[in-house]
């Protein structure tokens, strides 16, 4: 598993370099009065992204990735049906679940809506799935699959997908920014794993979603179906949060949004079942 070790070194380097340059970004922004008022955690996340991009080329060189075939991917002439099918399979069950929690008065409808907020959700639903699926299911899973251990590769990539989304320290963790503030953010981020309720409500759901996306990617040898699924979840959850607000917190059953909690996990498993049925029908039709 030399490739897995290279990925581990890659992500460790991202954390270390990101933690080191985050204070520099914060101080630079303060000096030039850019992004004034933003919490340090915003700069920490940008620093991690910069580190990931900067270290991507050395990773590709060390793993000898030169094309799609090296990542167990191939062109997909049915990319439009895959995107649309994935989007509907993800969005419809989630929106139906949203209607149920409104009917149960766990959420209630907002009195007004902001058009610019809807535009941000739409932008996130387009950009985030393309970026994250290219990275996690395209690059990371593709490199791991070269070991020939499919389930171990899915497990590792799904765990990494969940951990990265979990890697967010509470706001105002570093009220006074020093050279060690980035490492302080890392410590507080991983400290969340000490809360069993939070792990059950959020990490398990993210891990399952990651596994489902990996399953869709392997079944189609393409990223279009997981991109459609990912976009459906982001758009449905994002739009729901803009038109409704939570009346009560019911951890671990339901967390801060429709994608966090044990009940959302069950909804995700329903989507997974529908996905497998759709793939079976689609394969039979193509045969």
């Amino acid at each position: 598993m030399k490739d897995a070790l290279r990925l581990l070194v890659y992500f460790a380097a991202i954390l270390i370099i990101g933690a080191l340059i985050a204070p520099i970004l914060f101080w630079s922004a303060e000096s030039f009065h850019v992004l004034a008022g933003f919490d340090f955690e915003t700069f920490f996340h940008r620093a991690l992204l910069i580190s990931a991009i900067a270290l991507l080329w050395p990773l590709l060189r060390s793993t000898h990735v030169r094309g799609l075939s090296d990542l167990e991917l191939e062109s997909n002439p049915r990319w439009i049906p895959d995107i649309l099918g994935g989007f509907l399979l993800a969005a419809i069950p989630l929106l139906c679940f949203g209607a149920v929690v409104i009917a149960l008065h766990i959420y209630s409808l907002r009195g007004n809506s902001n058009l610019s907020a809807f535009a941000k959700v739409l932008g996130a639903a387009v950009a985030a799935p393309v970026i994250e699926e290219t990275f996690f299911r395209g690059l990371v899973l593709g490199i791991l699959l070269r070991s020939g251990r499919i389930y171990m590769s899915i497990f590792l990539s799904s765990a990494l997908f969940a951990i990265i989304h979990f890697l967010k320290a509470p706001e105002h963790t570093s009220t006074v920014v020093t050279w060690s503030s980035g490492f302080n953010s890392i410590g507080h981020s991983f400290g969340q794993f000490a809360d069993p309720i939070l792990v059950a409500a959020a990490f398990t759901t993210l891990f399952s979603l990651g596994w489902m996306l990996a399953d869709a990617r392997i079944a189609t040898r393409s990223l279009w179906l997981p991109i459609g699924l990912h976009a459906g979840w982001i758009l449905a959850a994002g739009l729901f949060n803009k038109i409704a607000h939570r009346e009560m917190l019911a951890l671990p059953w339901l967390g801060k949004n429709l994608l966090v909690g044990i009940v959302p996990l069950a909804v995700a498993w329903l989507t997974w079942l529908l996905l497998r049925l759709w793939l079976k029908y689609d394969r039979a039709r193509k045969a």
Side-chain angles (χ1 to χ4, degrees):
M1 295 286 283
K2 291 183 179 179
D3 285 340
L5 180 60
R6 292 188 180 99
L7 283 171
L8 180 62
V9 172
Y10 171 70
F11 284 106
I14 288 175
L15 289 177
I16 293 172
I17 295 175
L20 289 173
I21 67 175
I24 298 175
L25 293 179
F26 180 84
W27 293 326
S28 299
E30 279 197 333
S31 299
F32 293 99
H33 304 287
V34 178
L35 299 178
F38 278 78
D39 189 68
F40 174 76
E41 297 310 312
T42 300
F43 295 92
F44 176 61
H45 296 145
R46 298 298 181 273
L48 292 178
L49 179 60
I50 292 171
S51 301
I53 294 173
L55 295 172
L56 187 57
W57 177 246
L59 174 66
L60 293 175
R61 288 293 301 271
S62 66
T63 53
H64 306 290
V65 173
R66 297 181 178 85
L68 291 178
S69 60
D70 294 326
L71 297 172
E72 302 290 333
L73 290 169
E74 54 189 42
S75 61
N76 181 2
R78 292 180 46 80
W79 64 276
I80 294 180
D82 277 356
I83 286 182
L84 293 177
F87 179 85
L88 294 175
L89 287 169
I92 292 176
L94 199 59
L95 290 175
C96 290
F97 173 53
V100 170
V101 296
I102 289 177
L104 294 175
H105 304 292
I106 298 175
Y107 277 76
S108 61
L109 293 174
R110 298 181 187 272
N112 53 11
S113 57
N114 188 330
L115 188 59
S116 63
F118 287 115
K120 290 181 180 178
V121 171
L122 181 59
V126 173
V130 173
I131 294 171
E132 293 188 15
E133 293 311 308
T134 299
F135 185 75
F136 287 105
R137 256 61 62 179
L139 179 64
V140 175
L141 180 57
I143 291 174
L144 291 172
L145 284 172
R146 299 195 302 183
S147 67
R149 302 175 181 179
I150 295 178
Y151 291 111
M152 180 58 70
S153 299
I154 295 176
F155 176 87
L156 291 175
S157 64
S158 301
L160 182 62
F161 176 74
I163 290 171
I164 293 297
H165 282 78
F166 231 67
L167 197 63
K168 184 177 182 180
E171 291 186 359
H172 309 301
T173 295
S174 298
T175 54
V176 178
V177 177
T178 67
W179 282 108
S180 63
S181 293
F183 296 99
N184 186 42
S185 295
I186 294 173
H188 280 80
S189 298
F190 285 108
Q192 298 179 88
F193 287 93
D195 186 343
I197 293 180
L198 191 60
V199 171
F203 183 82
T204 306
T205 305
L206 287 167
F207 178 83
S208 296
L209 294 179
W211 195 295
M212 189 190 316
L213 292 166
D215 186 33
R217 182 258 206 224
I218 291 174
T220 59
R221 295 182 63 86
S222 166
L223 296 178
W224 295 113
L225 182 55
I227 286 174
L229 287 164
H230 203 146
W233 285 320
I234 290 181
L235 188 63
L239 291 180
F240 181 82
N241 285 339
K242 300 305 177 185
I243 66 172
H245 64 91
R246 189 179 66 240
E247 296 289 349
M248 64 181 72
L249 188 64
L251 285 172
W253 305 105
L254 180 62
K256 61 182 179 180
N257 58 53
L258 293 185
L259 292 174
V260 175
I262 294 176
V263 178
L265 177 61
V267 176
W269 286 343
L270 173 62
T271 296
W272 202 342
L273 174 62
L274 295 174
L275 172 66
R276 298 306 304 178
L277 292 174
W278 183 74
L279 284 172
K280 183 178 180 180
Y281 165 77
D282 191 54
R283 286 171 177 171
R285 188 169 59 85
K286 286 190 293 184

